[in-house]
Amino acid sequence: MASEDEYYKERYQEVKDKVEYKDFLNDIKEIKEENGDSPFITEEQIVDMAIEKYAGRQNIQQTHTNQVQEISSLIEGNGNISIQGRLIAISNIKTFTTKKGREGKVANLTVEDNTGKIRVVMWTDNMKYMSRISEGDIVKINNLEVRKGYTGDLEVQMRNNSSIQVLPEEVDPSLPKYEEVITNLGDIKEDGEYNVIVRIKKISTLREIQKEDRTLQIVTLDVMDKTGAMEFTLWNKDTKLIETLDLKEHDTIKILKARAQTRYDQTSLSNSWNGRIIKGDYDVPEFQEEILKIGDAKEAEKVTIIGVITKIYDTITFDRNDGSEGQVRSIEVTDDTGSIRVTLWNKETEIAMDKGDIIKISGGNVEFDDYAGDSYRLNTGWNASIVINPEIDDELSKKLADINNFQITKIKDVLNIDEDEGREVDVIGRILSMQDIREFQRVDGTEGQVRSIDLADETGIVRTSLWDEKSDIDQGLGDAIKIENARTRLGQNVMELSVGRSSRITVPSEEEMADLPSYQDLERDRYNDRTISQLEENEQNTKLRVRITNVGEVSTFTRVDGRDGRVRPINVADETAEIQVSLWDDDTEKKFPEGLAIIIENPVINSQNGHLRLSIGNGSTIRQARQEEAELMPSLREIENKLYVEKAIEDIEEDDQHIKVKGVIEEINGDKILYAMCPNCNKRIVQSEEGYICDICGEKIEKPNYLMIISTTLRDETGTIQATFFRKQAEELIDTTTEEVIKIFEQTSDESSMSSRIEDLVGHEVTIIADSNFNEYDEDIRLNVRRLVIVL
């Protein structure tokens, strides 16, 4: 297929002697803009119109403005013509989306003269004439263009400057007469077109039918007159007429040119392309609708119930036998006699509804529920009607008002429920803490997952378990959620909530959140602000505002149950002290650069070798501080100046922690700076003739990990001391990454190839943060560098 540019050049040859190519392209652009609201115009038609401007095409005639032509004489491509005849059909106005994304309108007229009849297509700008015309009028329609329609037949299309004139009958009495014959439903026996006046008994919900590569939309109206009842079907774009004409049950309508069709001995009507629905006050008998009391439900077809929605379950997607996807949702409906579970299918699952809404369902089938003991359920099936908050009489309204008294349960009331496990409640709160999803295996061998959150409102906090698909929620820390049908369960002497398949999680409305405190207020009320120096072992509900001073490497390990685990140590500090924090598994991937202000809530606090350590457990939260929180915290430089005591080398004592030392590099070992490590146990390994073998794991290591260690001797005016730089500190000292050093060694096959570059650091002054320890072998004090502050 030729490209658009190639097609333009090919067609340009027809008029190349009369117009420059660039002007030809401008004409095409202008025609496209002029016809932007016409959804069915083709590229070929646009180019034809540009060419006609200069050359005209064989067998295409441009007529004089408003010259009336007989319908039988019309030729494709004729423009600027008029037709005159009897208006025998007017369609309803239909909407569409234009190529420019705007809403457009289209309607069809059928005009007949003594030589034939033709369809007239009206567009958005022509709709002003719709209120001026009626079936049976004699009309003259001006400034039309003849085209081939999508069916292959000729049609005429109105343009922006087209007009319609209604003419008196005496202009042409010879025109075919228009007769509007109304047929009773009981008299429709054969296929054909009929005019009927009916009352709407029921309007089905929108349904979709998959047919080959198309999706068809359908709405069915049950209609009646004094002689009988029948189905009237709207297809595809016609389904929007329900909303456009504001059609409701009990309305009376006139349907013109309804198409009758008999299948399986059943006659039904459908809307035709040139048919019209007119809503009005017509003389059609009323009908009495029998409402089934839910408490009396037995197996039956095509019943109607009215009740209050007391439960709404999430929509479930399933695979049909043909490979397509279907949707199903359950709700519970209650009236003054009982409750029933209702099954909604496909498009019905998309109907907006809330707990407490009144719902009317017509055309549903009551079936025995095999999964609920001796109960029944209502299946909406194929042709049911669902109306949310319908008009009902005062007596029924009063009865349902006693049911419609749903209240959100405050969390303090959940906590005070006296061992009443299994009670269903609706709650609204903010997520105050959130654990990772945890997978587990059930007794029957199936896999499950659960996530715990702490949900808080202005009255309290409740631990809430989200099970299986409910655990994968979009909301995060601080977000407000509404949980319907949460079940109470007794935890460790405290009532908790369980959110499973029968529960629903949604976003509450602004009105529902009116009394809900902000996350900051809830957070402040729950946690006890502490500095690092104030922490005590096993203390709970603490909150720390700290900055990161050091980020360690991730280490992997194997748990007792055989699962792999990851841990990353980081160091944090405030103006009172510094402490190590362990991050586990997914938390190890968080991007926490040094100096970042973070908030730690409810960490696990334990003691190791006489020093407190923090661990981010399931009930902990670690997050970046908000801007307003960070602005209230001292900077990393201010923390260092207050926290790290500067010492001269001769004053360093055994077990000094976080001291600042300034000295000149007197010696540095650049011959051996990379050490091979076992990737499994992280222990040092030595290369032999057989390669690397780990003495701990007993395995041959094909590709070891490497640890960079640089040993130095520092001097100040008071003495010397050995200081060792590990990993990141070693990389910062020589301004080269471990990966770059490995690459250099592989290229040179010489582990000392960087020694001269490293030894150039001799004589440079460094400032470090370090811990001291006593070396028993040499009986001296040495420094382990924790941070390199500056190199001069």
Side-chain angles (χ1 to χ4, degrees):
M1 182 180 291
S3 67
E4 185 179 83
D5 187 52
E6 290 171 344
Y7 178 67
Y8 291 162
K9 289 179 179 178
E10 179 183 338
R11 295 298 305 277
Y12 171 67
Q13 301 305 311
E14 301 176 38
V15 290
K16 65 180 182 180
D17 296 332
K18 300 183 180 181
V19 61
E20 294 288 333
Y21 184 60
K22 64 178 182 179
D23 294 329
F24 177 68
L25 293 179
N26 284 334
D27 289 331
I28 292 175
K29 182 179 179 182
E30 289 177 2
I31 294 169
K32 280 186 176 181
E33 291 175 353
E34 181 182 353
N35 290 272
D37 287 340
S38 299
F40 306 117
I41 192 168
T42 66
E43 192 74 25
E44 181 181 5
Q45 289 172 329
I46 290 171
V47 177
D48 285 345
M49 292 164 69
I51 289 174
E52 288 167 9
K53 180 177 178 180
Y54 298 101
R57 294 175 61 193
Q58 212 168 22
N59 79 1
I60 302 298
Q61 301 176 11
Q62 291 297 316
T63 64
H64 297 294
T65 301
N66 293 341
Q67 178 181 337
V68 174
Q69 290 196 15
E70 293 182 336
I71 291 174
S72 63
S73 69
L74 298 179
I75 300 173
E76 181 185 1
N78 280 169
N80 223 22
I81 67 161
S82 296
I83 62 172
Q84 182 173 303
R86 182 81 66 185
L87 184 54
I88 60 173
I90 305 172
S91 78
N92 287 110
I93 298 172
K94 300 167 189 176
T95 59
F96 61 90
T97 301
T98 71
K99 295 177 181 179
K100 296 181 180 179
R102 296 195 295 265
E103 183 182 270
K105 296 180 180 180
V106 63
N108 297 310
L109 311 177
T110 302
V111 176
E112 184 176 15
D113 66 10
N114 291 313
T115 68
K117 57 185 176 182
I118 195 165
R119 173 162 60 179
V120 180
V121 183
M122 304 175 68
W123 300 105
T124 307
D125 291 338
N126 313 130
M127 293 304 155
K128 58 190 176 184
Y129 295 107
M130 287 292 282
S131 61
R132 309 174 192 176
I133 56 177
S134 300
E135 291 87 350
D137 288 343
I138 295 178
V139 294
K140 179 185 178 188
I141 308 178
N142 306 306
N143 299 327
L144 298 171
E145 181 177 348
V146 184
R147 292 184 182 173
K148 188 170 288 187
Y150 64 89
T151 62
D153 297 327
L154 288 183
E155 64 184 24
V156 290
Q157 296 207 9
M158 297 181 68
R159 306 293 298 275
N160 294 346
N161 61 345
S162 298
S163 63
I164 301 178
Q165 297 170 268
V166 178
L167 305 176
E169 184 69 25
E170 54 267 24
V171 167
D172 192 353
S174 67
L175 286 172
K177 300 300 180 183
Y178 172 78
E179 291 186 273
E180 187 175 281
V181 178
I182 303 299
T183 304
N184 292 326
L185 294 180
D187 295 332
I188 298 176
K189 305 298 182 183
E190 298 179 353
D191 293 355
E193 286 189 346
Y194 298 89
N195 303 325
V196 297
I197 293 177
V198 294
R199 186 178 297 277
I200 300 173
K201 295 180 61 178
K202 186 187 73 176
I203 302 174
S204 76
T205 52
L206 179 70
R207 305 187 301 280
E208 289 184 343
I209 302 173
Q210 196 66 34
K211 189 172 182 180
E212 298 175 351
D213 59 342
R214 294 185 301 157
T215 299
L216 305 179
Q217 294 187 322
I218 178 175
V219 169
T220 301
L221 286 69
D222 284 0
V223 298
M224 59 157 285
D225 63 11
K226 62 185 179 182
T227 66
M230 198 170 286
E231 288 186 352
F232 173 61
T233 303
L234 300 174
W235 292 90
N236 300 322
K237 291 183 180 179
D238 284 350
T239 59
K240 296 180 180 179
L241 293 174
I242 301 295
E243 181 179 354
T244 303
L245 301 176
D246 190 26
L247 300 181
K248 295 184 176 66
E249 293 176 1
H250 295 278
D251 284 346
T252 54
I253 56 175
K254 183 197 308 187
I255 308 173
L256 301 177
K257 296 189 178 299
R259 185 183 302 114
Q261 183 180 29
T262 302
R263 295 184 63 188
Y264 309 115
D265 296 326
Q266 188 76 29
T267 302
S268 62
L269 301 174
S270 61
N271 203 37
S272 59
W273 67 267
N274 61 341
R276 184 153 71 123
I277 302 171
I278 305 166
K279 182 178 176 180
D281 186 12
Y282 300 105
D283 184 17
V284 182
E286 280 284 356
F287 67 94
Q288 292 297 321
E289 189 172 28
E290 183 179 351
I291 307 298
L292 173 69
K293 289 295 184 181
I294 292 175
D296 298 332
K298 301 294 180 185
E299 290 184 280
E301 294 183 350
K302 296 184 178 179
V303 303
T304 298
I305 66 169
I306 298 177
V308 177
I309 299 175
T310 47
K311 286 185 184 178
I312 300 177
Y313 300 91
D314 285 332
T315 299
I316 298 172
T317 300
F318 63 91
D319 292 327
R320 297 189 182 96
N321 292 334
D322 62 2
S324 62
E325 283 191 345
Q327 291 79 36
V328 62
R329 161 182 258 178
S330 292
I331 63 174
E332 181 182 84
V333 179
T334 303
D335 67 8
D336 57 313
T337 66
S339 299
I340 193 168
R341 191 181 184 99
V342 179
T343 305
L344 309 177
W345 299 93
N346 303 316
K347 295 297 286 186
E348 295 171 346
T349 65
E350 301 174 13
I351 297 173
M353 61 182 69
D354 291 309
K355 207 170 180 178
D357 282 341
I358 296 175
I359 186 171
K360 177 182 179 183
I361 303 174
S362 303
N365 299 329
V366 179
E367 302 169 352
F368 186 76
D369 193 343
D370 297 324
Y371 300 99
D374 59 353
S375 297
Y376 292 86
R377 69 167 182 264
L378 183 74
N379 197 330
T380 54
W382 168 250
N383 198 23
S385 165
I386 298 174
V387 181
I388 303 298
N389 297 318
E391 295 180 3
I392 57 177
D393 60 54
D394 292 340
E395 181 181 355
L396 180 56
S397 180
K398 289 177 182 178
K399 289 180 180 179
L400 296 181
D402 294 335
I403 302 169
N404 192 0
N405 58 355
F406 297 103
Q407 292 182 348
I408 298 298
T409 303
K410 293 298 183 182
I411 288 176
K412 73 171 183 179
D413 296 327
V414 173
L415 299 173
N416 290 332
I417 293 174
D418 187 17
E419 298 186 4
D420 186 11
E421 287 194 292
R423 178 176 165 184
E424 289 191 346
V425 295
D426 297 351
V427 294
I428 291 176
R430 290 192 188 277
I431 300 174
L432 199 53
S433 71
M434 191 173 199
Q435 298 180 12
D436 293 329
I437 295 175
R438 178 175 61 82
E439 296 181 347
F440 64 92
Q441 190 174 59
R442 298 184 179 90
V443 177
D444 62 2
T446 59
E447 299 290 334
Q449 58 186 35
V450 63
R451 161 180 271 159
S452 291
I453 64 172
D454 282 343
L455 195 67
D457 65 8
E458 71 277 13
T459 69
I461 304 167
V462 62
R463 175 55 59 94
T464 304
S465 297
L466 312 180
W467 297 93
D468 298 319
E469 69 273 6
K470 295 298 189 297
S471 64
D472 190 17
I473 59 176
D474 296 328
Q475 292 82 4
L477 206 64
D479 288 340
I481 61 173
K482 178 180 180 180
I483 306 178
E484 297 177 4
N485 313 324
R487 288 187 179 272
T488 59
R489 70 171 188 177
L490 192 61
Q492 296 180 352
N493 299 319
V494 178
M495 196 59 73
E496 298 179 353
L497 292 178
S498 181
V499 179
R501 186 173 182 178
S502 62
S503 306
R504 189 167 74 126
I505 301 174
T506 60
V507 177
S509 65
E510 291 295 331
E511 182 180 357
E512 290 173 321
M513 290 191 292
D515 297 328
L516 194 63
S518 68
Y519 173 65
Q520 292 86 341
D521 290 341
L522 291 170
E523 188 182 39
R524 183 181 60 248
D525 292 340
R526 177 185 184 182
Y527 296 114
N528 302 312
D529 271 299
R530 292 286 188 266
T531 63
I532 294 175
S533 64
Q534 292 173 332
L535 294 176
E536 297 180 5
E537 187 176 2
N538 297 324
E539 186 179 8
Q540 294 184 345
N541 292 333
T542 58
K543 179 177 179 179
L544 297 172
R545 307 167 189 270
V546 293
R547 288 190 184 271
I548 296 176
T549 57
N550 186 63
V551 179
E553 300 292 330
V554 176
S555 298
T556 59
F557 62 92
T558 302
R559 295 184 171 90
V560 176
D561 61 5
R563 292 181 299 121
D564 291 334
R566 291 167 290 158
V567 62
R568 182 197 292 273
I570 66 172
N571 284 78
V572 300
D574 58 18
E575 62 273 23
T576 70
E578 185 177 34
I579 196 169
Q580 187 181 92
V581 183
S582 295
L583 306 181
W584 302 92
D585 299 320
D586 290 345
D587 280 342
T588 63
E589 300 176 7
K590 291 183 176 178
K591 304 300 182 184
F592 283 157
E594 291 181 3
L596 182 71
I598 63 171
I599 305 296
I600 301 176
E601 293 166 338
N602 199 33
V604 178
I605 307 173
N606 51 45
S607 178
Q608 295 179 9
N609 301 322
H611 296 287
L612 289 182
R613 297 286 187 268
L614 304 183
S615 183
I616 303 303
N618 286 336
S620 311
T621 300
I622 183 168
R623 61 175 174 83
Q624 182 175 344
R626 294 182 287 270
Q627 182 177 352
E628 62 272 17
E629 293 173 318
E631 289 174 351
L632 297 175
M633 298 165 61
S635 67
L636 183 60
R637 180 59 60 87
E638 290 171 332
I639 290 174
E640 290 176 345
N641 290 338
K642 193 167 186 179
L643 195 61
Y644 304 140
V645 177
E646 187 169 350
K647 281 196 170 187
I649 290 176
E650 70 174 2
D651 295 329
I652 296 174
E653 298 178 0
E654 182 180 342
D655 294 331
D656 272 345
Q657 299 290 305
H658 317 320
I659 58 174
K660 182 183 290 187
V661 179
K662 183 186 297 183
V664 174
I665 299 176
E666 185 176 73
E667 295 180 6
I668 190 167
N669 182 8
D671 292 334
K672 176 69 175 177
I673 63 172
L674 281 186
Y675 296 87
M677 310 293 290
C678 174
N680 300 318
C681 66
N682 212 32
K683 299 297 183 181
R684 186 173 174 184
I685 53 179
V686 179
Q687 190 172 21
S688 64
E689 294 180 357
E690 299 179 1
Y692 288 105
I693 297 178
C694 178
D695 293 335
I696 305 298
C697 300
E699 296 180 3
K700 184 176 181 181
I701 308 301
E702 297 294 336
K703 188 174 181 180
N705 293 336
Y706 286 96
L707 171 65
M708 191 189 306
I709 304 176
I710 300 177
S711 180
T712 67
T713 300
L714 303 184
R715 173 185 292 278
D716 66 7
E717 61 272 15
T718 68
T720 61
I721 194 169
Q722 184 173 321
T724 305
F725 293 76
F726 296 88
R727 294 186 174 89
K728 185 173 64 175
Q729 288 73 30
E731 292 178 336
E732 291 177 350
L733 179 66
I734 65 174
D735 193 24
T736 307
T737 66
T738 301
E739 288 72 21
E740 290 171 343
V741 173
I742 293 171
K743 188 179 294 185
I744 292 172
F745 285 178
E746 289 175 345
Q747 291 173 348
T748 63
S749 300
D750 181 5
E751 290 192 27
S752 63
S753 57
M754 287 196 63
S755 59
S756 60
R757 175 177 172 180
I758 294 172
E759 289 166 2
D760 285 343
L761 289 169
V762 173
H764 286 260
E765 182 181 82
V766 295
T767 301
I768 60 174
I769 306 297
D771 297 335
S772 67
N773 61 78
F774 183 74
N775 183 277
E776 295 182 355
Y777 183 79
D778 291 325
E779 296 185 343
D780 61 0
I781 295 175
R782 298 183 178 182
L783 297 178
N784 287 331
V785 179
R786 296 167 50 82
R787 186 174 177 200
L788 177 63
V789 178
I790 193 170
V791 180
L792 297 175

